[in-house]
Amino acid sequence: MSAYGSGFNFEGGDAGGGGDGGGGFASGSQNSPNNRPRKSYDEQTLIPVTVRMVLNSQPAISGDGSFQLSDGRELHQVKLIGAVRSADPQSTAATYQIEDGTGIIEVKEFINEDVPSMIAAREEAAQEHVYVCIIGQVKDYDNKKSIIGNSVRKIESMNQLTHHMLEVAYSAEKYKKADQIVGAPQGGFGAPAGVGFGGGPVGKNAMGGMGMAAPAAGGANELQQTVLQFVREHGESSDEGVNIAQVIAGTTAGGRFSEQEVRDIVEHLATEGEIYSTIDENTFKVAE
C-alpha cells in the first residue's frame, strides 16, 4: 500500500463527484407519484475517495450532519478501497481498520445474521491484509471520523484498486472542469462529476427522478430479488451496466409487476447500496 501512498497524493479536495442539481433531472423539491419527497441527486451520489480525503473532510455547510471535501462536494455516500489491517467480526457487526496508503480509518458494518450471503461476505472480508471495497457513509463520533459500511466486500482483482484510484482522480478533474465553465448553472451539465472512469461504480444511489417505496413482504421481496438478479446477469456483459428501461421490460413481462413497482425497487436497491449507477442516473450495475 505504501506505493500508493507515495505515488498518489490524493488530498481532501482532489476528488468530487455528484452534481448539485442532478444534471437537469427532477430536483429534490418535487414529489414522487406516491407523494413521497424525492431525495436530491447529491444525497444519492456515490463519491470515490481515499482515506485522507475522508479524514480531511469538514462538516457540510448544509448543516445536515454530512461532510464535504474542500471543493464543496458533500460526502453522502462514499466508495473506498483499502487493505484490512485488523478485523473484529461480531455476531451483529464487524469492525475493520482500513488502510489505503493515504491513511487508516475505522469501518463498521452491521450484519444481518438471517442473510447467509452477508455472513459469507463478512468471512471473506474479515481477514488481515485482504483488500476490500467499502460503500458507506462518513460519520463522526467524539471528533473521530469513521465509515458506516453498507457493503464491505473482498475485491476480486488488484486492478480494482488501480481503477479506484483513477476514479478518484477522474472524478476530481471532471468536477473542476465543469466548475470552470463560465455561466454554467450549478449542477446543470449532464451527468455529475461522480460518474466513474470507464463506467466504474461511482453513483450507486443516483436515482434522482424516481419515487421510492421500501419493499414490503411477499411479492415486493420477490420483485427485489428478480430485479437484482436481472441487473447482475445483464450488467456483467457491459462496462456501462443495464438501463432501467431494460430492467422494466425484463421484469414486467407477464403483467405480474407494474413499472412503478420496478422503479421503486430499483431506487430502494440503489439507496441500500446493492446497485450503483454508472454512465448516468438510469444505468446500473450490482455492487459486488
Side-chain angles (χ1 to χ4, degrees):
M1 288 304 297
S2 59
Y4 281 93
S6 59
F8 293 87
N9 186 23
F10 293 121
E11 298 290 346
D14 284 348
D20 286 330
F25 288 90
S27 68
S29 62
Q30 295 180 339
N31 292 330
S32 62
N34 56 7
N35 294 323
R36 293 174 180 263
R38 293 171 179 164
K39 294 181 180 179
S40 70
Y41 193 76
D42 269 357
E43 293 181 15
Q44 303 178 65
T45 301
L46 189 69
I47 301 179
V49 297
T50 64
V51 170
R52 182 180 299 181
M53 290 164 57
V54 173
L55 296 178
N56 288 348
S57 64
Q58 299 296 322
I61 58 176
S62 61
D64 61 357
S66 62
F67 293 85
Q68 66 182 39
L69 302 174
S70 61
D71 63 5
R73 299 291 87 188
E74 292 194 12
L75 299 177
H76 292 284
Q77 297 281 341
V78 299
K79 176 195 168 192
L80 172 71
I81 291 182
V84 177
R85 293 311 179 207
S86 68
D88 181 22
Q90 300 294 327
S91 60
T92 59
T95 303
Y96 308 85
Q97 294 294 324
I98 304 295
E99 181 201 356
D100 70 349
T102 71
I104 298 178
I105 193 169
E106 180 178 284
V107 175
K108 188 168 187 177
E109 179 190 27
F110 291 95
I111 306 296
N112 186 345
E113 290 285 341
D114 296 328
V115 182
S117 61
M118 292 188 70
I119 304 302
R122 180 188 63 184
E123 292 175 352
E124 285 190 340
Q127 304 177 47
E128 292 186 6
H129 311 305
V130 164
Y131 283 81
V132 294
C133 176
I134 299 133
I135 296 173
Q137 295 176 308
V138 178
K139 299 296 181 180
D140 189 321
Y141 298 103
D142 295 328
N143 295 319
K144 179 183 178 182
K145 292 188 181 72
S146 62
I147 295 176
I148 301 299
N150 298 326
S151 172
V152 179
R153 299 292 183 268
K154 179 182 177 181
I155 66 173
E156 298 178 359
S157 166
M158 290 304 293
N159 289 335
Q160 290 177 254
L161 175 60
T162 304
H163 186 274
H164 175 70
M165 291 299 184
L166 292 174
E167 281 186 326
V168 172
Y170 178 80
S171 177
E173 191 63 24
K174 186 176 180 68
Y175 169 64
K176 290 176 182 177
K177 288 182 178 180
D179 195 46
Q180 291 171 357
I181 298 177
V182 178
Q186 193 172 15
F189 276 79
V195 173
F197 185 89
V202 182
K204 73 173 188 179
N205 290 337
M207 291 294 298
M210 300 180 187
M212 183 189 99
N221 287 331
E222 179 183 348
L223 177 57
Q224 179 173 326
Q225 293 303 317
T226 301
V227 170
L228 191 61
Q229 186 63 25
F230 186 93
V231 176
R232 179 181 289 110
E233 291 179 354
H234 292 77
E236 288 180 350
S237 61
S238 169
D239 288 338
E240 290 78 12
V242 58
N243 189 272
I244 191 171
Q246 295 173 272
V247 179
I248 292 171
T251 55
T252 58
R256 182 172 182 182
F257 302 109
S258 69
E259 176 179 341
Q260 187 58 51
E261 286 176 326
V262 175
R263 289 183 178 275
D264 289 344
I265 289 294
V266 168
E267 185 169 351
H268 173 75
L269 291 172
T271 301
E272 292 298 314
E274 297 291 335
I275 60 177
Y276 61 86
S277 67
T278 56
I279 58 173
D280 57 40
E281 62 179 13
N282 291 315
T283 307
F284 299 90
K285 289 178 74 72
V286 173
E288 294 180 332

